[in-house]
Amino acid sequence: MLLQYPKLSSSAHVARYEDYRKAHNEFMKLYRGLYNEVSGFSLIPEKFIHEAEPVIDRYLDKVAGENHRSIGLQVISDFINNFYVFMDDATEMFTEHQALAGQTMKYMERVAFLNRKNQKRYIRDCEDDYLQLMPELTRLKDSLTQVKDKVDQTTETLDSLKPVWERIRHKIAA
C-alpha cells in the first residue's frame, strides 16, 4: 500500500508533516525488512524436523539394538531439549510478529483513510490529521524493535544449534 501525500505548500508547518512522513517511511522500510526476515525464517524449523527426525530415529534404533553409546544419548537428548526451546522461542516470535502485522494493517487503514479524505487539500490544511498518527507510529516502531530483537535472539539460538546438529549427524553417519 503506497502512501499518497497531499500537495505540499511552502508553509512552515510542512516541517512537522515532513517529520511524520520520514518516520512513516522509515517504519515501512523496517517493517518490510522484518517481514521478509520472518517469512524466510518460518520454514526453517519444519524443514529441520523433517531432516533430523529420521536420522535421530535410525540412530536410536541402532543404539537400542547394539546396546552401546557411540555418541551418547545425553548429547542427543540435550540437543532435542535445546531444539524444543528454540521452537518455543520461534513460536513466540511468530505470534508477536503476527500481532505487529495486525496493528500495522490498522495503522495503514487509517493512513489510507486520511489520504482519501485529504486528497485535494494543501498540507497546511490537513497536516494535523497525519500528526495525530505519530503516537501510534511510535508505538509501532517500538513493537517492531521488540520483534526484531526476538527474531535476532531466535536466529542466534538456531545458529548455536546448527554446529551441534552437524556434529551429531556426522557421528551418526560414521
Side-chain angles (χ1 to χ4, degrees):
M1 178 178 294
L2 293 174
L3 180 60
Q4 298 173 358
Y5 302 104
K7 295 177 184 175
L8 297 176
S9 71
S10 58
S11 165
H13 296 285
V14 173
R16 292 186 344 176
Y17 177 76
E18 281 297 308
D19 290 341
Y20 163 76
R21 189 178 68 78
K22 286 177 186 175
H24 172 85
N25 288 337
E26 178 185 341
F27 171 76
M28 293 310 299
K29 180 181 173 185
L30 292 171
Y31 181 79
R32 272 188 230 111
L34 179 67
Y35 179 84
N36 290 335
E37 190 173 351
V38 169
S39 63
F41 189 88
S42 65
L43 298 177
I44 292 172
E46 183 178 351
K47 180 182 172 190
F48 176 78
I49 289 170
H50 288 297
E51 175 190 323
E53 187 176 35
V55 173
I56 291 173
D57 285 346
R58 275 194 311 270
Y59 175 75
L60 293 175
D61 288 345
K62 177 182 167 185
V63 168
E66 296 176 9
N67 202 14
H68 76 299
R69 296 180 180 191
S70 56
I71 293 178
L73 293 179
Q74 188 61 44
V75 171
I76 291 179
S77 178
D78 288 347
F79 174 79
I80 291 170
N81 289 334
N82 290 333
F83 186 76
Y84 282 132
V85 169
F86 162 75
M87 289 295 293
D88 289 344
D89 289 347
T91 301
E92 186 178 327
M93 175 197 66
F94 289 125
T95 302
E96 290 176 14
H97 181 264
Q98 188 175 21
L100 175 64
Q103 294 165 6
T104 300
M105 287 303 298
K106 288 178 184 177
Y107 163 76
M108 291 305 298
E109 288 169 0
R110 288 184 189 98
V111 170
F113 171 77
L114 290 178
N115 289 341
R116 287 189 303 276
K117 175 183 161 192
N118 297 316
Q119 194 169 21
K120 298 184 190 245
R121 296 174 67 195
Y122 291 106
I123 190 61
R124 70 174 174 250
D125 297 332
C126 61
E127 77 171 333
D128 286 341
D129 289 348
Y130 291 93
L131 293 176
Q132 290 177 19
L133 294 174
M134 281 299 284
E136 182 177 2
L137 184 56
T138 300
R139 280 191 305 278
L140 284 171
K141 285 176 76 174
D142 290 344
S143 293
L144 185 138
T145 300
Q146 291 172 350
V147 172
K148 176 68 174 137
D149 290 345
K150 189 69 165 174
V151 169
D152 292 345
Q153 181 183 32
T154 305
T155 301
E156 283 179 29
T157 303
L158 178 62
D159 289 344
S160 72
L161 287 171
K162 285 178 181 179
V164 175
W165 168 244
E166 287 304 317
R167 283 193 303 277
I168 290 172
R169 191 170 74 176
H170 178 70
K171 287 183 179 183
I172 288 174

